[in-house]
Amino acid sequence: MSLRQCLASTSRATATKTRPRLTKSLCLPTLSGISRLCPTGPAPVHVRHASTLPQRSDRFNKLTKSHIGELRKLVGSSSSILSTLDGSATEDDLKTYNNDWMNKYHGKSQVVARPRSTEEVSKIMTWCYENDIAVVPQGGNTGLVGGSNPIHDELIISLSSLNSVRSFDPVSGVLVADAGMVLESADGYLAEKGFIYPLDLGAKGSCQIGGCVATNAGGLRLLRYGSLHGSVLGLEVVLPDGKIWNGLSTLRKDNTGFDLKQLFIGSEGSIGIITGISILCPRRSSSTNVAVFSLSSYEDVQKVFSETKTHLGEILSAFEFFDAASYALVRRMQKHHGEEPKKVFEQEGDFYVLIETSGSNAEHDEEKLTNFVEHLMTSEMVLDGVLAQDTTQAHSLWSLRELITEACTKLGAAFKYDLSTAPGEMYDLVEQMRARLTEKGLLKGDWEGDVGAVVGFGHMGDGNLHLNIVAKQFSEKIQDVIEPFVYEMVKEKGGSISAEHGLGSMKAPYIGYTKSETSIEMMKQIKQMFDPKGLMNPYKYIV
Amino acid sequence: MSLRQCLASTSRATATKTRPRLTKSLCLPTLSGISRLCPTGPAPVHVRHASTLPQRSDRFNKLTKSHIGELRKLVGSSSSILSTLDGSATEDDLKTYNNDWMNKYHGKSQVVARPRSTEEVSKIMTWCYENDIAVVPQGGNTGLVGGSNPIHDELIISLSSLNSVRSFDPVSGVLVADAGMVLESADGYLAEKGFIYPLDLGAKGSCQIGGCVATNAGGLRLLRYGSLHGSVLGLEVVLPDGKIWNGLSTLRKDNTGFDLKQLFIGSEGSIGIITGISILCPRRSSSTNVAVFSLSSYEDVQKVFSETKTHLGEILSAFEFFDAASYALVRRMQKHHGEEPKKVFEQEGDFYVLIETSGSNAEHDEEKLTNFVEHLMTSEMVLDGVLAQDTTQAHSLWSLRELITEACTKLGAAFKYDLSTAPGEMYDLVEQMRARLTEKGLLKGDWEGDVGAVVGFGHMGDGNLHLNIVAKQFSEKIQDVIEPFVYEMVKEKGGSISAEHGLGSMKAPYIGYTKSETSIEMMKQIKQMFDPKGLMNPYKYIV
């Protein structure tokens, strides 16, 4: 029985008590961190044309065996330096650092340093500065735009050995920790104390909190807890000349001069290496609820979003959307896996929204959500809906949204775009892209063209669209139809060509589609001011 | 009957329904915007020693009558330029602009420009740049540190004629407005649409939203809605050379390069003039509750704060505290006004906390708060409590906290400090200051010494203490006992000498107590980069 049927035969008062059971057919596989981080299907090969990748710059020195000897003197442990130059590592050992997890970006570095303290990072950076050695700071290496891999032979400084909690104040909720701490570990530490890390990502099992700050990661909790520009209270950074900047304040308020830490949030390793983080963590909500609805139009998605904010207000923690093509893609993947997808909705729609609430009082939250669900189901805004009854079902509902990324990668070569516009205009981008690919003869019927599917999904609450074009295989012909068209569409709407993934190597050349010449000029001056030798993460970001 | 008595005779279930009535004795005067902005008592005269005020710099040109003629050609309306140089204004006319509202800071400017568009601001600034004219951008001129008044003869650019809403998107909640819009007007505009401006200040009837961004104002809603670094989405700024920087994005997410707008938030007019703002506004809560408790120790204040976050979670919107000395000061002021202060608490305490909730469901919020109040009253954490029954009573309870500022100013010469530390250490600052003033023979018995009272109050939730030393009259002797001792205390605790008021003229020389040499050096470079001629708001902020 769907929710609509259930509610039709239930009074409002009773509905509060008897939450409709989720249909048993909803038994989707849940996500595992590993499968999401290491897709085994055809590798997506959408990278910048080789001709556009910058040449190695002669202003950087090449690392030699004798350099490695000097580097070893700066660190306490022999395992802190891995290099093919002195035989302490093989090329294979360095692949994890040279290549990204999608195997899209391939560096040629011969040296990885894994310092164990901020002081060691500082010593290494001072040495690099004096010797004109280019550097790539690396966190969990889970980025999507080639920002954390070398392009040529840059020295990689991995933060993975800097991974301890430094302090936690249960009155203020302020956590101070090393930058290399894995996000999931930080959140686990906080969970034991009744707090939550104000950021959540698919890659949380691998990504590091320092990398998240360096890339200004957005993720699933942004709607509720806001951006890192608001929640990060302080940073410790090793500057390009090796100096340690101690901006690791734990104060929530401090109006004494420019808020310097803000420059490092989202700086993608271009002006310093973040080694420590101070962040304000909220209390963990004791109650969480998840519901998914099918809808007939994007206009209804917007109406439901607006209604959701009115009715669920302070307990709303996520509002995600995906289109019918995304939903079909996940079901297609399940069939490829030999599974027969189960029926989730009595009435499927052209759109779906996932609503999550988190609050401090389970009874109140359930009442709010049930009343709201009833309001939606008796309106013309939704076609059908399902409400999770327990954590397992909540995970299953989330997987409807989260498996889309995996399906895009496993069913073909995915051209992935992470865009933002005003929420009202967001879906136009998907429709315009479909029209263009159809017009060019690439998108036809049911997987009959070179492009199998164009899907749109994302964080509706943040105006953040993930537009994925799933081709049977990569071709420059398809890419040339997509780009720069996709960026032109976004520019026309005053949107961003990278809502949360950053610029890295992939989008560096396209910044002009989102930022003005005046902005880019100011950014270049900032880069020059902090890193006059241009040693930090070269060839990317602001070039 | 106090809450404790009421609850003692009431079961939990009944308590939920029968909220104890507030004692009728609580009839405190409510605050009026005017009385708060224009205290009529002895003017506080705590300013920097005259000898420390910087001399006029010869690198700036002096304005002449012929300059005024040139300026007039840049603007559309003759009333946009006020000057004593061409007789279009008297010295008296310019006092509002030259002096701050506390009458502490006195500039000697002969020209005020009131441009009516961003383009006019740009033309004026271009002209100033070409003619080496120093400039002070001015919003509502409600600051507390002399940041918005000239020190010498700088040209004042007032934003007051730039005060329209540019757009509002009810789906995303993004407001775009001119910088000169008065905060209360912006909030009023949003209230009609069911939204709220994510910032609230005592000076809201006069302060401008641009000035609030330029000073990174904190205020009463920070605990709930976070800092402006999180909620401001974009800015339009006229740069020191007159160029317009259009960073007026309405996107919630945009990771394409350094987040430049962050540099202007809290820059106090030192690197540009903010002319437009894009800000994310939350839905307005339909239900608000206020309660005040008396407690016996600061340790209990912290315990209650922690418990409040656990029990009230997402509906908590303010947690303010004040000490017995603050409470006594307000009652003293009432007596001076010929009023007999009414009894508020059955049992008074050494400390008081004010808790406010805002949520989307009145019934749920009341139940949460009543359960929590019962929990507190049956614990040993509070002595007594009162709960507002309606808006008028809520205002009365708020006035217990808000009248403190007025009382400090009206009962003597107030030395005002706006400090932040970890919440746990905050009150040490008050106790140490009292000990020092007692030791120096300045603080004795009941207003028997030169100093009448040392009071501590503030935004507990933000770790923000307002420490006020109320002297019978200003003396350099008292000031020298207080300073730099007050800053040394803060430095020792890793705190901030200006939590929310900014640096301006008053605190510029003391930045070193909060910020490291490395930080100050970076700030100077940023200032130099944006404003190589040093025209913007000179002699203040970063000097």
Side-chain angles (χ1 to χ4, degrees), chain B residues 285-296:
Chain B
S285 298
S286 53
S287 145
T288 303
N289 294 288
V290 181
V292 178
F293 300 92
S294 58
L295 306 91
S296 59

Side-chain angles (χ1 to χ4, degrees), chain A residues 169-173 195 215-219 222-227 229-230 239 243-247 249-268 270-271 281 283 285 302 305-307 309-315 358-361 363-365 367-368 371 420-424 459-464 494-503 511 514-516 518-527 529-530 541-542, chain B residues 169-173 195 215-219 222-227 229-230 239 243-247 249-268 270-271 281 283 285 302 305-307 309-315 358-361 363-365 367-368 371 420-424 459-464 494-503 511 514-516 518-527 529-530 541-542:
Chain A
D169 177 350
V171 176
S172 63
F195 287 77
T215 54
N216 188 30
L222 189 129
L223 177 68
R224 175 65 166 270
Y225 301 121
S227 95
H229 286 287
L239 299 170
K243 197 183 280 175
I244 299 171
W245 175 59
N246 182 358
S249 168
T250 55
L251 304 171
R252 186 144 186 201
K253 280 179 172 175
D254 175 20
N255 278 352
T256 54
F258 300 114
D259 194 354
L260 297 170
K261 67 171 181 287
Q262 302 290 351
L263 279 177
F264 296 96
I265 301 173
S267 64
E268 301 187 27
S270 66
I271 52 172
C281 303
R283 292 296 172 110
S285 299
Q302 290 177 73
F305 178 51
S306 208
E307 289 281 310
K309 291 208 285 185
T310 305
H311 285 77
L312 300 178
E314 64 280 359
I315 63 167
S358 304
S360 58
N361 183 312
E363 208 179 299
H364 290 168
D365 293 1
E367 194 179 319
K368 279 193 187 88
N371 287 348
S420 70
T421 67
H459 317 292
M460 175 77 190
D462 316 330
N464 184 183
S496 172
I497 60 156
S498 193
E500 58 180 9
H501 293 174
L503 292 169
I511 183 173
T514 293
K515 292 290 160 69
S516 67
T518 310
S519 295
I520 297 169
E521 189 45 47
M522 283 199 262
M523 290 182 197
K524 283 184 177 167
Q525 286 184 50
I526 289 170
K527 167 76 177 170
M529 186 192 118
F530 279 91
Y541 197 63
I542 312 300
Chain B
D169 178 351
V171 176
S172 63
F195 287 77
T215 54
N216 189 29
L222 190 130
L223 177 69
R224 176 65 167 270
Y225 302 121
S227 93
H229 286 288
L239 298 171
K243 197 183 278 175
I244 299 171
W245 175 60
N246 182 357
S249 168
T250 54
L251 304 171
R252 187 146 184 196
K253 280 180 173 175
D254 175 19
N255 278 351
T256 53
F258 300 114
D259 195 352
L260 296 170
K261 69 172 179 285
Q262 302 290 351
L263 278 177
F264 296 96
I265 301 174
S267 64
E268 301 187 28
S270 65
I271 53 173
C281 303
R283 290 296 171 112
S285 298
Q302 290 177 73
F305 178 50
S306 209
E307 290 281 310
K309 291 210 284 186
T310 305
H311 285 77
L312 300 178
E314 65 280 0
I315 63 166
S358 303
S360 58
N361 184 313
E363 208 179 301
H364 289 169
D365 293 0
E367 194 180 318
K368 280 193 187 87
N371 288 347
S420 70
T421 67
H459 317 293
M460 175 76 191
D462 316 331
N464 184 182
S496 171
I497 60 155
S498 193
E500 58 179 9
H501 293 173
L503 291 169
I511 182 173
T514 293
K515 291 291 160 69
S516 67
T518 310
S519 295
I520 297 168
E521 190 44 48
M522 284 198 261
M523 290 182 197
K524 284 184 177 167
Q525 286 184 49
I526 289 169
K527 167 75 178 172
M529 185 192 121
F530 279 90
Y541 198 62
I542 312 300

Side-chain angles (χ1 to χ4, degrees), chain B residues 14-34:
Chain B
T14 329
T16 313
K17 307 265 178 208
T18 61
R19 283 171 74 183
R21 302 295 303 172
L22 192 76
T23 55
K24 280 198 178 170
S25 58
L26 187 72
C27 299
L28 292 168
T30 53
L31 289 170
S32 81
I34 291 164

Side-chain angles (χ1 to χ4, degrees), chain A residues 121 125 135 137 214 236-241 243 264 267-275 527 530-531 536-537, chain B residues 258:
Chain A
V121 178
M125 203 56 237
V135 161
E236 179 190 76
V237 178
V238 173
L239 299 170
D241 63 359
K243 197 183 280 175
F264 296 96
S267 64
E268 301 187 27
S270 66
I271 52 172
I273 304 175
I274 296 172
T275 50
K527 167 76 177 170
F530 279 91
D531 183 23
M536 305 297 306
N537 220 359
Chain B
F258 300 114

Side-chain angles (χ1 to χ4, degrees), chain B residues 196-416:
Chain B
I196 190 168
Y197 200 88
L199 175 74
D200 191 16
L201 294 181
K204 66 181 162 201
S206 307
C207 69
Q208 296 173 7
I209 58 173
C212 290
V213 172
T215 54
N216 189 29
L220 304 167
R221 289 178 189 158
L222 190 130
L223 177 69
R224 176 65 167 270
Y225 302 121
S227 93
L228 291 171
H229 286 288
S231 51
V232 171
L233 299 182
L235 293 177
E236 179 189 76
V237 177
V238 172
L239 298 171
D241 63 359
K243 197 183 278 175
I244 299 171
W245 175 60
N246 182 357
L248 209 49
S249 168
T250 54
L251 304 171
R252 187 146 184 196
K253 280 180 173 175
D254 175 19
N255 278 351
T256 53
F258 300 114
D259 195 352
L260 296 170
K261 69 172 179 285
Q262 302 290 351
L263 278 177
F264 296 96
I265 301 174
S267 64
E268 301 187 28
S270 65
I271 53 173
I273 304 175
I274 297 172
T275 51
I277 285 160
S278 159
I279 189 162
L280 186 69
C281 303
R283 290 296 171 112
R284 207 169 192 95
S285 298
S286 53
S287 145
T288 303
N289 294 288
V290 181
V292 178
F293 300 92
S294 58
L295 306 91
S296 59
S297 71
Y298 188 68
E299 208 184 320
D300 283 342
V301 172
Q302 290 177 73
K303 278 188 203 157
V304 171
F305 178 50
S306 209
E307 290 281 310
T308 305
K309 291 210 284 186
T310 305
H311 285 77
L312 300 178
E314 65 280 0
I315 63 166
L316 181 63
S317 55
F319 191 102
E320 300 281 308
F321 94 103
F322 48 98
D323 60 10
S326 304
Y327 185 63
L329 208 67
V330 170
R331 297 173 86 75
R332 189 180 177 90
M333 177 177 67
Q334 292 174 311
K335 284 182 190 161
H336 273 250
H337 286 176
E339 297 164 22
E340 186 51 45
K342 305 288 164 53
K343 191 172 183 173
V344 181
F345 301 95
E346 289 290 324
Q347 198 178 346
E348 297 185 346
D350 282 346
F351 290 90
Y352 299 87
V353 300
L354 179 147
I355 295 171
E356 187 193 74
T357 67
S358 303
S360 58
N361 184 313
E363 208 179 301
H364 289 169
D365 293 0
E366 280 184 26
E367 194 180 318
K368 280 193 187 87
L369 186 59
T370 313
N371 288 347
F372 178 54
V373 165
E374 184 189 8
H375 167 68
L376 283 185
M377 300 298 289
T378 52
S379 77
E380 295 299 314
M381 283 179 284
V382 304
L383 299 170
D384 197 10
V386 286
L387 198 58
Q389 300 300 307
D390 54 36
T391 315
T392 311
Q393 290 184 354
H395 280 300
S396 292
L397 286 183
W398 261 112
S399 74
L400 287 173
R401 157 71 181 85
E402 291 194 313
L403 282 173
I404 302 167
T405 313
E406 194 176 333
C408 288
T409 316
K410 290 208 170 160
L411 293 173
F415 295 80
K416 299 165 84 70

